[in-house]
Amino acid sequence: MRLRRVSLFDILNNTVITIITLLMLYPFVNVFVVSISSYSAFVENPMRIWPKQVTFEAYKEIFGHPVLWSSYWNTIVVTVSGVLLGILLYILTAYPLSKKHLRGRNLIMIAVVFTMLFNGGLIPNYYLMRSLGLINTLAALVIPALLTGFNLILMKTFMENIPEELEEAARIDGASDPYILFRIVVPLSGPIIATLCLFTAVGYWNNFYSAIVYIRDVDKWPLMLFLREIIEGAKLTSISTGAGDNAAEAANLNITPVTLQYATLIFVMIPILCVYPFVQKYFVKGIMLGSVKG
């Protein structure tokens, strides 16, 4: 077996990639290590990458807070419903726009691009949500982000690359438009659908600004708003039972505001980190094919 010759470029390339990878992994490792380290270990070295005096008190404190589970459930409901409805809207909108014989196609695309450059602003959007009776409902977190111009253009461009001969052959066999869309076009659009699922899911999962504007009740908070309150320390006193106000008490409890924040960060990141590896193989293909001929 012939061995491949390793060039100086390969060595430099792998070295640079390894350094960049380690730099990107460091924040995740540091957050996890601090979240399971004691108060004295954290004070000794806040930048540590190896746990010392391991304790899971911060996780116990976070898991015992009822707002965490209600906000977690709200985020799952918003994310799942937003992804399912959003992908359906993208398919139903992008498919006709991908046909060159559609009348007014260019005008519609100009209107779509216009929404990417300009929007109604915060106050008109708030009054629109209020007039629809959606204030303080989870629907207010789902509906405004269901359809975005950027994702629609990606889907439309991807569908334009599907050979029209497939649809023509199906029409000759008597297939209807819905049959062609859902039995031929949609299965062939797997990479872009997976990519938009990831984009949409991450967007809904990380969104907290809409909740600040539209949500009033604590039991309707999404997870990121709960995390924001912890990071800013607004609710820290009630959550940590006063550990953040007294260093000696914190040392006895092995809990600090930082460990609570980091434990919550780890808990929030886990779902996205679990989903991403399964979607990654479609990610590059969906983006590349969806952006060609844009």
Side-chain angles (χ1 to χ4, degrees), residues 87 91-92 95 155 158-159 162 178-193:
I87 293 300
I91 292 173
L92 296 178
Y95 179 65
M155 177 75 83
F158 188 96
M159 289 183 172
I162 297 176
Y179 184 91
I180 293 173
L181 175 59
F182 291 104
R183 298 300 296 270
I184 297 177
V185 176
V186 171
L188 293 175
S189 303
I192 191 63
I193 291 176

Side-chain angles (χ1 to χ4, degrees), residues 67 70-71 74 136 215-222 235:
V67 177
S70 63
S71 61
N74 293 335
N136 204 26
I215 300 300
R216 300 288 178 270
D217 297 336
V218 175
D219 59 352
K220 294 178 181 176
W221 277 7
K235 304 295 182 183

Side-chain angles (χ1 to χ4, degrees), residues 194-205:
T195 303
L196 293 189
C197 281
L198 180 63
F199 278 177
T200 310
V202 172
Y204 278 115
W205 193 269

